[in-house]
Amino acid sequence: MSRDQAAEISATGVTVDVGDVTTRYLLYGLLPGWFVPGLADWVMHRRSRIEDTAGTKESLIHSLMMAEVGIPIALTLRYEVNPLLLTVQLGGAAVHEATALWDVRTAVKSDREVTPLEQHIHSFLESLPYGALSALMCLHADQVKALLRWGSPRSSEAESGGGAGRADAWRLVRRRRPLSRGYLAGIAAAIGTCVVLPYGEELVRCVRAGRRNKRRATSDEANWRAGKGR
Protein backbone atom coordinates (compact mmCIF):
# COMPACT_ATOMS: atom_id res chain seq x y z
CA MET A 1 0.00 0.00 0.00
CA SER A 2 1.42 3.38 -1.02
CA ARG A 3 1.62 6.37 1.30
CA ASP A 4 -1.19 8.11 -0.59
CA GLN A 5 -3.36 5.03 -0.25
CA ALA A 6 -2.60 4.82 3.46
CA ALA A 7 -3.43 8.49 3.96
CA GLU A 8 -6.89 8.18 2.47
CA ILE A 9 -9.21 5.19 2.81
CA SER A 10 -12.52 5.01 1.03
CA ALA A 11 -15.27 3.69 3.27
CA THR A 12 -18.87 3.50 2.03
CA GLY A 13 -18.03 6.06 -0.62
CA VAL A 14 -16.62 8.59 1.88
CA THR A 15 -12.96 9.57 1.78
CA VAL A 16 -11.36 9.42 5.22
CA ASP A 17 -8.10 11.11 6.18
CA VAL A 18 -6.44 8.59 8.51
CA GLY A 19 -4.22 11.20 10.15
CA ASP A 20 -7.15 13.48 10.93
CA VAL A 21 -9.26 10.62 12.27
CA THR A 22 -6.40 9.37 14.47
CA THR A 23 -5.80 12.86 15.84
CA ARG A 24 -9.49 13.26 16.69
CA TYR A 25 -9.47 9.85 18.36
CA LEU A 26 -6.54 10.87 20.55
CA LEU A 27 -8.02 14.27 21.45
CA TYR A 28 -11.68 13.37 21.89
CA GLY A 29 -11.60 9.65 22.61
CA LEU A 30 -8.50 8.31 24.30
CA LEU A 31 -7.48 11.34 26.37
CA PRO A 32 -10.94 12.03 27.90
CA GLY A 33 -11.47 8.28 28.32
CA TRP A 34 -8.27 8.11 30.34
CA PHE A 35 -10.00 9.88 33.22
CA VAL A 36 -12.49 7.03 33.70
CA PRO A 37 -10.05 4.35 34.97
CA GLY A 38 -8.18 7.03 36.93
CA LEU A 39 -11.33 7.96 38.81
CA ALA A 40 -12.28 4.29 39.24
CA ASP A 41 -8.84 3.60 40.76
CA TRP A 42 -9.40 6.38 43.30
CA VAL A 43 -12.70 4.72 44.26
CA MET A 44 -10.84 1.44 44.84
CA HIS A 45 -8.32 3.19 47.09
CA ARG A 46 -11.13 4.75 49.10
CA ARG A 47 -13.00 1.45 49.46
CA SER A 48 -9.86 -0.29 50.73
CA ARG A 49 -9.22 2.58 53.21
CA ILE A 50 -5.79 3.52 51.95
CA GLU A 51 -5.40 6.03 54.79
CA ASP A 52 -5.33 3.19 57.35
CA THR A 53 -2.92 0.92 55.43
CA ALA A 54 -0.37 2.25 52.95
CA GLY A 55 -1.24 5.80 53.91
CA THR A 56 0.59 8.92 52.75
CA LYS A 57 3.45 7.04 51.06
CA GLU A 58 1.25 5.32 48.50
CA SER A 59 -0.84 8.45 47.97
CA LEU A 60 2.32 10.41 47.16
CA ILE A 61 3.31 7.69 44.70
CA HIS A 62 -0.06 8.19 42.99
CA SER A 63 0.64 11.93 42.73
CA LEU A 64 4.05 11.15 41.24
CA MET A 65 2.50 8.93 38.58
CA MET A 66 0.01 11.68 37.70
CA ALA A 67 2.93 14.06 37.14
CA GLU A 68 4.84 11.50 35.05
CA VAL A 69 1.89 11.24 32.68
CA GLY A 70 0.51 14.77 33.01
CA ILE A 71 3.67 16.69 32.09
CA PRO A 72 4.17 14.95 28.69
CA ILE A 73 0.45 15.36 27.93
CA ALA A 74 0.52 19.08 28.77
CA LEU A 75 3.58 19.61 26.57
CA THR A 76 2.03 17.66 23.69
CA LEU A 77 -1.12 19.78 23.80
CA ARG A 78 0.90 23.00 23.50
CA TYR A 79 3.97 22.13 21.42
CA GLU A 80 4.90 20.44 18.14
CA VAL A 81 5.97 16.80 18.27
CA ASN A 82 9.73 16.64 17.62
CA PRO A 83 12.65 14.50 18.87
CA LEU A 84 12.79 16.43 22.16
CA LEU A 85 9.11 15.95 22.91
CA LEU A 86 9.25 12.29 21.84
CA THR A 87 12.13 11.76 24.27
CA VAL A 88 10.10 13.32 27.09
CA GLN A 89 7.10 11.17 26.19
CA LEU A 90 9.10 7.93 26.01
CA GLY A 91 10.92 8.74 29.24
CA GLY A 92 7.68 9.58 31.01
CA ALA A 93 6.09 6.30 29.90
CA ALA A 94 9.08 4.26 31.06
CA VAL A 95 9.31 6.00 34.44
CA HIS A 96 5.54 5.71 34.91
CA GLU A 97 5.74 1.94 34.39
CA ALA A 98 8.53 1.61 36.97
CA THR A 99 6.58 3.75 39.44
CA ALA A 100 3.47 1.62 38.87
CA LEU A 101 5.42 -1.46 39.99
CA TRP A 102 6.61 0.45 43.07
CA ASP A 103 3.01 1.48 43.76
CA VAL A 104 1.64 -2.08 43.74
CA ARG A 105 4.54 -3.35 45.83
CA THR A 106 3.91 -0.62 48.41
CA ALA A 107 0.20 -1.47 48.56
CA VAL A 108 0.81 -5.21 48.98
CA LYS A 109 3.45 -4.72 51.69
CA SER A 110 1.05 -2.49 53.62
CA ASP A 111 -1.63 -5.20 53.66
CA ARG A 112 -4.01 -2.98 51.68
CA GLU A 113 -6.27 -5.30 49.72
CA VAL A 114 -5.64 -4.88 46.00
CA THR A 115 -8.65 -6.63 44.49
CA PRO A 116 -8.78 -8.26 41.02
CA LEU A 117 -11.03 -5.39 39.92
CA GLU A 118 -8.43 -2.81 40.94
CA GLN A 119 -5.71 -4.77 39.15
CA HIS A 120 -7.87 -4.79 36.02
CA ILE A 121 -8.25 -1.01 36.29
CA HIS A 122 -4.46 -0.77 36.57
CA SER A 123 -4.14 -2.61 33.27
CA PHE A 124 -5.97 0.26 31.55
CA LEU A 125 -3.91 2.91 33.31
CA GLU A 126 -0.69 1.19 32.23
CA SER A 127 -1.65 0.36 28.64
CA LEU A 128 -3.34 3.62 27.63
CA PRO A 129 -0.09 5.69 27.69
CA TYR A 130 1.54 3.23 25.29
CA GLY A 131 -1.54 3.20 23.06
CA ALA A 132 -1.52 6.99 22.86
CA LEU A 133 2.22 7.18 22.32
CA SER A 134 2.25 4.55 19.57
CA ALA A 135 -0.54 6.36 17.69
CA LEU A 136 1.29 9.67 18.07
CA MET A 137 4.51 8.14 16.75
CA CYS A 138 2.65 6.83 13.70
CA LEU A 139 1.32 10.33 13.06
CA HIS A 140 4.82 11.79 13.31
CA ALA A 141 6.94 9.08 11.72
CA ASP A 142 9.36 11.69 10.32
CA GLN A 143 10.17 12.89 13.84
CA VAL A 144 10.66 9.30 15.02
CA LYS A 145 13.15 8.78 12.18
CA ALA A 146 14.93 11.99 13.13
CA LEU A 147 15.21 10.80 16.73
CA LEU A 148 16.55 7.40 15.69
CA ARG A 149 19.09 8.95 13.31
CA TRP A 150 20.32 11.53 15.81
CA GLY A 151 23.95 10.95 16.69
CA SER A 152 24.43 8.39 13.91
CA PRO A 153 26.76 8.85 10.90
CA ARG A 154 23.66 9.53 8.81
CA SER A 155 22.38 12.23 11.15
CA SER A 156 23.04 14.85 8.48
CA GLU A 157 20.05 13.44 6.59
CA ALA A 158 17.77 14.42 9.46
CA GLU A 159 19.02 17.99 9.34
CA SER A 160 17.27 18.69 6.08
CA GLY A 161 14.27 16.36 6.57
CA GLY A 162 10.85 17.92 6.29
CA GLY A 163 9.79 19.20 9.68
CA ALA A 164 12.72 17.46 11.34
CA GLY A 165 15.34 20.19 11.01
CA ARG A 166 18.03 20.01 13.66
CA ALA A 167 17.45 23.65 14.58
CA ASP A 168 14.04 22.76 16.03
CA ALA A 169 14.71 19.15 17.01
CA TRP A 170 15.81 19.76 20.59
CA ARG A 171 13.74 22.71 21.70
CA LEU A 172 10.06 23.21 22.39
CA VAL A 173 8.26 24.67 19.39
CA ARG A 174 4.76 26.13 19.68
CA ARG A 175 2.08 24.33 17.69
CA ARG A 176 1.64 25.80 14.23
CA ARG A 177 -2.07 25.01 14.56
CA PRO A 178 -2.87 25.56 18.27
CA LEU A 179 -5.72 23.64 19.82
CA SER A 180 -8.79 25.72 20.58
CA ARG A 181 -9.07 27.47 23.92
CA GLY A 182 -12.39 25.72 24.47
CA TYR A 183 -10.80 22.29 24.11
CA LEU A 184 -7.86 23.14 26.38
CA ALA A 185 -10.25 24.61 28.98
CA GLY A 186 -12.39 21.47 28.83
CA ILE A 187 -9.40 19.19 29.32
CA ALA A 188 -8.14 21.37 32.18
CA ALA A 189 -11.57 21.20 33.84
CA ALA A 190 -11.66 17.41 33.42
CA ILE A 191 -8.19 17.07 34.94
CA GLY A 192 -9.21 19.22 37.88
CA THR A 193 -12.44 17.31 38.44
CA CYS A 194 -11.27 13.74 37.79
CA VAL A 195 -7.62 13.88 38.89
CA VAL A 196 -6.63 16.84 41.06
CA LEU A 197 -9.70 16.92 43.32
CA PRO A 198 -10.07 13.18 44.06
CA TYR A 199 -6.38 12.45 44.46
CA GLY A 200 -5.87 15.66 46.40
CA GLU A 201 -8.66 14.55 48.71
CA GLU A 202 -6.96 11.17 49.04
CA LEU A 203 -3.64 12.76 50.02
CA VAL A 204 -5.30 15.07 52.57
CA ARG A 205 -7.21 12.12 54.03
CA CYS A 206 -3.99 10.09 54.34
CA VAL A 207 -2.07 12.95 55.95
CA ARG A 208 -4.84 13.55 58.49
CA ALA A 209 -5.07 9.85 59.32
CA GLY A 210 -1.31 9.68 59.74
CA ARG A 211 -1.30 12.59 62.16
CA ARG A 212 -4.24 11.12 64.05
CA ASN A 213 -2.53 7.75 64.37
CA LYS A 214 0.69 9.41 65.48
CA ARG A 215 -1.11 11.35 68.22
CA ARG A 216 -2.88 8.17 69.29
CA ALA A 217 0.41 6.27 69.46
CA THR A 218 2.02 9.08 71.46
CA SER A 219 -0.92 9.14 73.87
CA ASP A 220 -0.84 5.36 74.29
CA GLU A 221 2.90 5.44 74.99
CA ALA A 222 2.45 8.23 77.54
CA ASN A 223 -0.32 6.27 79.29
CA TRP A 224 1.86 3.15 79.30
CA ARG A 225 4.79 5.02 80.83
CA ALA A 226 2.50 6.62 83.42
CA GLY A 227 1.07 3.24 84.38
CA LYS A 228 4.53 1.70 84.57
CA GLY A 229 5.74 4.44 86.92
CA ARG A 230 3.05 3.75 89.53
Side-chain angles (χ1 to χ4, degrees):
M1 180 181 290
S2 68
R3 180 172 297 182
D4 291 339
Q5 289 173 323
E8 295 185 350
I9 297 177
S10 178
T12 64
V14 178
T15 300
V16 178
D17 186 309
V18 176
D20 182 63
V21 171
T22 303
T23 300
R24 289 179 180 276
Y25 163 70
L26 289 172
L27 292 175
Y28 299 102
L30 194 148
L31 181 54
W34 210 330
F35 301 133
V36 176
L39 195 57
D41 198 36
W42 168 78
V43 172
M44 294 295 103
H45 302 160
R46 189 176 181 86
R47 287 180 59 182
S48 59
R49 301 192 63 80
I50 184 175
E51 67 272 19
D52 295 326
T53 51
T56 304
K57 179 180 179 180
E58 188 184 358
S59 186
L60 286 172
I61 294 175
H62 296 158
S63 298
L64 177 60
M65 287 193 290
M66 300 301 171
E68 292 165 351
V69 172
I71 291 175
I73 289 176
L75 292 176
T76 304
L77 292 176
R78 297 301 300 272
Y79 299 98
E80 290 287 340
V81 174
N82 61 7
L84 172 60
L85 192 50
L86 284 172
T87 301
V88 172
Q89 293 163 343
L90 290 166
V95 173
H96 178 267
E97 184 65 22
T99 308
L101 293 173
W102 180 25
D103 172 44
V104 175
R105 185 178 304 161
T106 300
V108 172
K109 285 186 176 181
S110 69
D111 293 328
R112 183 173 78 80
E113 183 184 10
V114 182
T115 64
L117 177 57
E118 182 177 343
Q119 289 285 26
H120 191 60
I121 292 171
H122 290 171
S123 68
F124 284 94
L125 292 173
E126 292 180 41
S127 61
L128 284 174
Y130 291 101
L133 186 54
S134 61
L136 199 65
M137 292 173 74
C138 289
L139 286 173
H140 300 278
D142 58 332
Q143 302 301 327
V144 175
K145 291 178 181 178
L147 176 61
L148 295 176
R149 289 172 179 171
W150 183 75
S152 71
R154 298 178 60 191
S155 61
S156 59
E157 298 179 11
E159 295 181 10
S160 58
R166 290 294 296 277
D168 293 341
W170 298 101
R171 67 183 181 88
L172 293 174
V173 180
R174 289 277 185 177
R175 276 180 170 268
R176 291 186 291 273
R177 296 174 58 187
L179 299 174
S180 70
R181 293 183 178 179
Y183 176 81
L184 294 176
I187 289 296
I191 291 174
T193 302
C194 301
V195 178
V196 176
L197 284 179
Y199 283 92
E201 182 273 340
E202 175 184 286
L203 181 58
V204 170
R205 182 159 33 91
C206 288
V207 170
R208 287 178 176 174
R211 291 175 178 173
R212 184 171 60 250
N213 293 337
K214 186 176 181 179
R215 288 195 299 267
R216 186 180 302 161
T218 301
S219 177
D220 290 344
E221 182 179 0
N223 291 336
W224 179 80
R225 290 180 180 276
K228 187 177 180 181
R230 292 178 181 174

